[in-house]
Amino acid sequence: MNRGLSETRERTAGRRVRSWHVAALVLVLAVGGLLLYAFWPVLTGREEVTRPEDVQASAPPVAVEAVVVQPVDFPLRAEATGTLAPWRQTEISAEISGRVVERRVEEGDRVAAGQVLVVLDDEEARLALAEAEAALLKARSEYAVQLSQSGAAGIDSTRLAEARRAWQAAQEAYARGEIDEAALDEARQRYEALLLLSGAQREAVRRVVTGLAEAEQRVARARLQLNRTRIRAPFAGRVADLQVEVGRHVSPGQVLMQLLDDRRMKVEVDVLEADLVHIRPGASAWVRLPALGDTVVAGVVHTVNPRIDPKTGAGRVTVAVPNPEGRLLAGMFAYVALETRTLPDRLVVPAEAVLVRQGRDLVFVIRNGRAQWTYVTTGPRSGDHVVLLDGVAPGDTVAVSGHHALAHDAPVEVTAVHPAFEVND
């Protein structure tokens, strides 16, 4: 029995050995077939190597937009933000008290210099003027009577001439330190007294004595008060912030409205000292207004404050901006770019043209319908543009849009060509 069991085990082990051999043989044949397939083109001399350009040649061209690089004078700019303000503005206030009987303007109206804006009740002012004119007539009558009765002779001209010479001599002596201030005053007072009694001053004295001069002053003052019942525009501009209605009583100094001279606007910005030292009055400026769809308006540097705030390290620059159509409104937020200096003959591209790959700057130069991966060295940046110091040459076409996922030598189609740089960019 033991013998039969032993023979059974030997037959089973033999079958296991043969099954393992068969599996190993199949595996070897499979690996050999794969190797033969892989190296068959080499063994037969019909090798086919797939190249990247062959794969790219089968891909459709990528649509890109580009710029043609040419040497330009590149202005460096300092950037800041601010708000628009009228070139000048003022509060229109009442100078006298009174009731408003007429308002001739509305908010937003344009007015000329001297135009009447508000009319106050002028009845009391007219009565005061009439009284002053009556008093003036009386004073003139008294003056005429005294003038007709006067026959007195004036002071001897010789005495007046001597007093004048004494006064001049006293001034010279005082300048040399020979007399004191009291002696100088005595000579002056003697000369003025004789001058007052002479014919040269007699008429002025008579006008004061008769009250004619005072009456004339009262009339002038009454006319001034009457004129102040008509509130006028001190300069041409636009009305804003109306605070007065017909029938309302106003007091002296009370603000009635604002007047804005907005034919030209200004924006004041703070510029860091590193840029401020390069900015001069008359330099170009560009003002971008988000409220008007990012409209860019050309302006000019009007003034540069010669003082830098030690707390902020910045100084104030005032930019003048034309506003002939009145589209620019006071208080609008603005981005301002100020020209600091200009670099001549530079190759400039939009900053979006420059990509970073493997830690280096590059652009895609379009040649013969393909995008060439080209390393560059960048220089100064200003706004949305950057100077390229090397890597490109004048006349090169550089991709600026649709190029972020491009590979080297990829086929491209240029759908639009833009200027690389314009002054108002």
Side-chain angles (χ1 to χ4, degrees):
M1 180 178 178
N2 290 335
R3 181 179 179 182
L5 180 59
S6 177
E7 291 176 353
T8 302
R9 289 177 177 175
E10 289 177 357
R11 287 194 296 271
T12 302
R15 286 196 298 271
R16 289 177 178 172
V17 170
R18 287 194 295 273
S19 299
W20 182 85
H21 288 169
V22 172
L25 179 60
V26 171
L27 180 60
V28 169
L29 291 175
V31 172
L34 291 174
L35 293 173
L36 182 63
Y37 175 79
F39 289 96
W40 181 258
V42 178
L43 296 174
T44 60
R46 292 180 294 177
E47 179 181 7
E48 294 182 2
V49 179
T50 303
R51 296 171 295 180
E53 52 267 32
D54 295 332
V55 174
Q56 294 172 359
S58 61
V62 178
V64 298
E65 297 182 7
V67 296
V68 177
V69 181
Q70 297 292 349
V72 296
D73 292 339
F74 184 48
L76 297 182
R77 300 170 180 173
E79 297 185 348
T81 59
T83 55
L84 290 177
W87 190 249
R88 56 177 173 169
Q89 58 184 336
T90 189
E91 294 179 341
I92 304 298
S93 304
E95 296 184 86
I96 60 173
S97 61
R99 180 174 56 87
V100 177
V101 296
E102 189 176 356
R103 191 189 74 188
R104 298 183 180 180
V105 292
E106 298 292 341
E107 285 187 342
D109 285 354
R110 290 202 172 276
V111 297
Q115 180 176 331
V116 175
L117 309 176
V118 175
V119 178
L120 303 181
D121 182 10
D122 62 358
E123 183 176 356
E124 184 175 349
R126 289 187 181 279
L127 288 174
L129 176 59
E131 292 175 357
E133 289 176 338
L136 175 60
L137 179 60
K138 180 180 179 181
R140 284 176 175 171
S141 299
E142 293 178 357
Y143 173 77
V145 171
Q146 289 198 18
L147 187 62
S148 63
Q149 295 176 351
S150 176
I155 297 298
D156 186 359
S157 61
T158 302
R159 292 175 58 193
L160 182 60
E162 290 176 354
R164 182 185 297 110
R165 286 194 296 270
W167 163 235
Q168 293 173 347
Q171 288 178 297
E172 294 172 358
Y174 180 78
R176 293 192 299 267
E178 298 174 356
I179 62 173
D180 58 13
E181 188 171 351
L184 177 67
D185 287 342
E186 183 180 352
R188 176 181 57 80
Q189 292 169 3
R190 175 176 174 78
Y191 169 67
E192 290 179 350
L194 291 174
L195 183 64
L196 188 62
L197 295 175
S198 68
Q201 294 287 315
R202 190 186 309 135
E203 298 306 321
V205 172
R206 188 176 286 117
R207 288 168 64 86
V208 172
V209 171
T210 60
L212 177 59
E214 183 180 356
E216 290 174 339
Q217 292 170 2
R218 286 199 299 268
V219 169
R221 189 177 298 110
R223 286 175 177 167
L224 178 62
Q225 291 296 93
L226 179 60
N227 185 62
R228 285 173 173 171
T229 63
R230 302 292 190 269
I231 301 174
R232 303 175 185 272
F235 52 80
R238 179 180 284 184
V239 175
D241 299 337
L242 267 174
Q243 301 178 42
V244 62
E245 297 291 342
V246 173
R248 182 177 179 181
H249 189 276
V250 297
S251 304
Q254 182 176 337
V255 177
L256 308 181
M257 67 191 75
Q258 299 279 339
L259 185 62
L260 314 179
D261 180 4
D262 63 350
R263 288 297 184 183
R264 180 169 57 163
M265 304 291 283
K266 64 182 177 181
V267 55
E268 296 180 347
V269 294
D270 292 329
V271 179
L272 294 176
E273 59 183 61
D275 292 320
L276 189 69
V277 295
H278 298 291
I279 299 175
R280 298 288 182 271
S284 298
W286 295 265
V287 180
R288 180 165 61 87
L289 302 164
L292 297 180
D294 283 335
T295 297
V296 176
V297 182
V300 64
V301 174
H302 182 69
T303 58
V304 178
N305 190 351
R307 178 182 176 275
I308 294 175
D309 188 339
K311 295 181 180 180
T312 62
R316 186 178 68 248
V317 175
T318 301
V319 176
V321 186
N323 187 30
E325 299 178 357
R327 297 180 62 206
L328 311 185
L329 303 180
M332 276 185 172
F333 180 77
Y335 293 97
V336 181
L338 306 166
E339 181 180 349
T340 58
R341 57 192 186 278
T342 300
L343 304 178
D345 296 328
R346 295 299 195 273
L347 297 181
V348 179
V349 296
E352 60 185 343
V354 181
L355 306 177
V356 178
R357 301 280 176 85
Q358 300 174 355
R360 296 180 62 185
D361 293 329
L362 65 89
V363 298
F364 281 100
V365 178
I366 311 301
R367 295 190 178 97
N368 301 321
R370 292 185 176 276
Q372 303 297 318
W373 177 315
T374 305
Y375 287 112
V376 295
T377 302
T378 59
R381 293 175 180 259
S382 183
D384 297 329
H385 291 76
V386 59
V387 173
L388 299 184
L389 301 178
D390 59 27
V392 297
D396 281 350
T397 301
V398 176
V400 295
S401 175
H403 62 306
H404 291 84
L406 287 180
H408 176 65
D409 210 35
V412 294
E413 178 184 359
V414 178
T415 58
V417 177
H418 307 285
F421 176 78
E422 291 182 329
V423 174
N424 59 353
D425 281 346

